[in-house]
């Protein structure tokens, strides 16, 4: 798995390999999320019942497993645990069916290096963990302050990093903006997750808005000219947290 960000180079890379499968354990996920956020941010994140709690009243909660195939777990990011309804962002942890071991660690690493970095940057607000895009930036989504998490890539074969490299080289928010003609609720933060790639003769692209699939944006992402690989697989994911300019 390779990690990077399109606004400032790229980070160290490791490679993802297939993992074992088993049923997901909520406590295993919480423990892995707490450990990785602590490693990345330096502050201590701890498991407290059904939450991972961190600095500044932030927390992460695990939701239900659903869907077919590789496990898909809802993760709720609470930007202010004291106001869980107004300051919550739905997200997900996908592509793993293991409650321990390499498969779970890889899935949590993808989430932490995308969504997790955006969360840490919202706390730090100094550009250490993620990039900031202001509403008038050419690479931004018009009208919104964006905290752009890292870009995680994974796959198999000689071109496993092709989709990640493509996303590192170009911003996607302006290209997807027409898919959101009605905008978003300006009284709440909005989380956008993008996951796309190809392999084994298939290609897929999914955009989620606060955890819910957005059909129009997903089709728009699928239609872009990102590289399709003929052999092996190549996928990438990123996460963007949108807030009102005065909140960012």
């Amino acid at each position: 798995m390779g990690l990077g960000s399109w606004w400032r180079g790229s980070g160290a890379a490791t490679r993802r390999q297939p993992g074992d499968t088993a049923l997901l354990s909520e406590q295993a996920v919480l423990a892995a999320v707490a450990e990785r956020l602590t490693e990345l941010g330096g502050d201590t994140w701890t498991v407290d019942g059904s939450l991972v709690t961190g600095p500044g009243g932030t927390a992460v909660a695990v939701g239900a497993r659903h869907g077919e195939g590789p496990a898909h777990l809802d993760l709720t990011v609470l930007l202010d645990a004291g106001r869980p309804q107004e300051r919550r962002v739905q997200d997900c942890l996908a592509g793993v069916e293991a409650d321990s071991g390499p498969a779970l660690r890889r899935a949590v690493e993808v989430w932490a290096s995308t969504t997790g970095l955006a969360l840490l940057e919202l706390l730090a607000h100094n550009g250490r963990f993620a990039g900031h895009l202001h509403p008038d930036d050419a690479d931004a989504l018009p009208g919104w302050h964006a905290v752009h998490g890292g870009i995680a890539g994974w796959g198999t074969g000689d071109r496993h990093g092709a989709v990640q490299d493509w996303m590192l080289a170009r911003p996607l928010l302006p290209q997807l903006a027409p898919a959101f003609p009605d905008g978003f609720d300006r009284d709440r933060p909005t989380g956008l997750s993008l996951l796309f790639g190809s392999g084994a003769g298939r290609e897929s692209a999914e955009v989620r808005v606060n955890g819910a699939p957005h059909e129009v944006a997903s089709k728009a992402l699928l239609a872009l000219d990102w590289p399709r690989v003929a052999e092996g697989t190549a996928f990438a994911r990123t996460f963007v947290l949108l807030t009102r300019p005065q909140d960012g």
Side-chain angles (χ1 to χ4, degrees), residues 24 29 33 71-75 91-96 104 107-108 111:
L24 275 165
V29 173
V33 167
H72 179 115
L73 269 182
D74 287 336
L75 289 183
D91 194 28
C92 61
L93 180 77
V96 58
L104 174 58
V108 170
W111 179 87

Side-chain angles (χ1 to χ4, degrees), residues 1 5 27 43 104 124 154 157 222:
M1 180 175 63
S5 64
Q27 288 301 307
D43 293 315
L104 174 58
W154 65 92
L222 185 63

Side-chain angles (χ1 to χ4, degrees), residues 53-121:
T53 59
T58 54
V60 179
V62 175
R65 179 189 182 197
H66 56 85
E68 298 179 354
H72 179 115
L73 269 182
D74 287 336
L75 289 183
T76 301
V77 176
L78 303 177
L79 304 179
D80 182 348
R83 294 187 293 157
Q85 297 304 318
E86 295 85 359
R87 301 287 290 172
R88 66 192 295 145
V89 176
Q90 293 292 126
D91 194 28
C92 61
L93 180 77
V96 58
E97 292 182 351
D99 60 2
S100 63
L104 174 58
R105 288 195 296 271
R106 282 190 293 270
V108 170
E109 178 63 23
V110 169
W111 179 87
S113 63
T114 53
T115 307
L117 287 181
L119 172 59
L120 293 175
E121 179 57 30

Side-chain angles (χ1 to χ4, degrees), residues 58-204:
T58 54
V60 179
V62 175
R65 179 189 182 197
H66 56 85
E68 298 179 354
H72 179 115
L73 269 182
D74 287 336
L75 289 183
T76 301
V77 176
L78 303 177
L79 304 179
D80 182 348
R83 294 187 293 157
Q85 297 304 318
E86 295 85 359
R87 301 287 290 172
R88 66 192 295 145
V89 176
Q90 293 292 126
D91 194 28
C92 61
L93 180 77
V96 58
E97 292 182 351
D99 60 2
S100 63
L104 174 58
R105 288 195 296 271
R106 282 190 293 270
V108 170
E109 178 63 23
V110 169
W111 179 87
S113 63
T114 53
T115 307
L117 287 181
L119 172 59
L120 293 175
E121 179 57 30
L122 195 68
L123 293 168
H125 204 75
N126 58 13
R128 175 185 172 192
F129 300 103
H132 289 265
L133 296 171
H134 299 283
D136 56 351
D137 289 341
D139 297 340
L141 194 68
W144 291 90
H145 180 103
V147 180
H148 200 307
I151 295 170
W154 65 92
T156 59
D158 292 341
R159 299 189 64 210
H160 63 273
V163 178
Q164 181 191 30
D165 291 342
W166 182 89
M167 189 167 19
L168 286 167
R170 55 187 53 73
L172 290 181
L173 292 180
Q175 299 184 72
L176 295 179
F180 309 116
D182 298 327
F184 306 107
D185 186 349
R186 299 194 66 81
D187 293 328
R188 299 172 183 268
T190 296
L192 300 181
S193 65
L194 285 66
L195 171 64
F196 59 106
S198 67
R202 298 181 180 181
E203 57 187 54
S204 62

Side-chain angles (χ1 to χ4, degrees), residues 7-58:
W7 61 89
R8 288 286 188 274
S10 63
T14 59
R15 304 304 179 199
R16 178 176 178 170
Q17 300 295 332
D20 298 329
T21 60
L23 291 178
L24 275 165
S25 159
E26 177 180 315
Q27 288 301 307
V29 173
L30 290 171
V33 167
E35 179 182 7
R36 192 65 185 116
L37 289 178
T38 298
E39 291 173 348
L40 286 171
D43 293 315
T44 300
W45 292 72
T46 59
V47 178
D48 183 5
S50 60
L51 296 175
V52 173
T53 59
T58 54

Side-chain angles (χ1 to χ4, degrees), residues 202-228:
R202 298 181 180 181
E203 57 187 54
S204 62
E206 182 180 69
V207 177
R208 287 179 175 261
V209 178
N210 285 340
H214 193 288
E215 182 178 358
V216 175
S218 297
K219 288 181 178 179
L221 180 58
L222 185 63
L224 295 180
D225 63 346
W226 46 269
R228 277 69 170 174

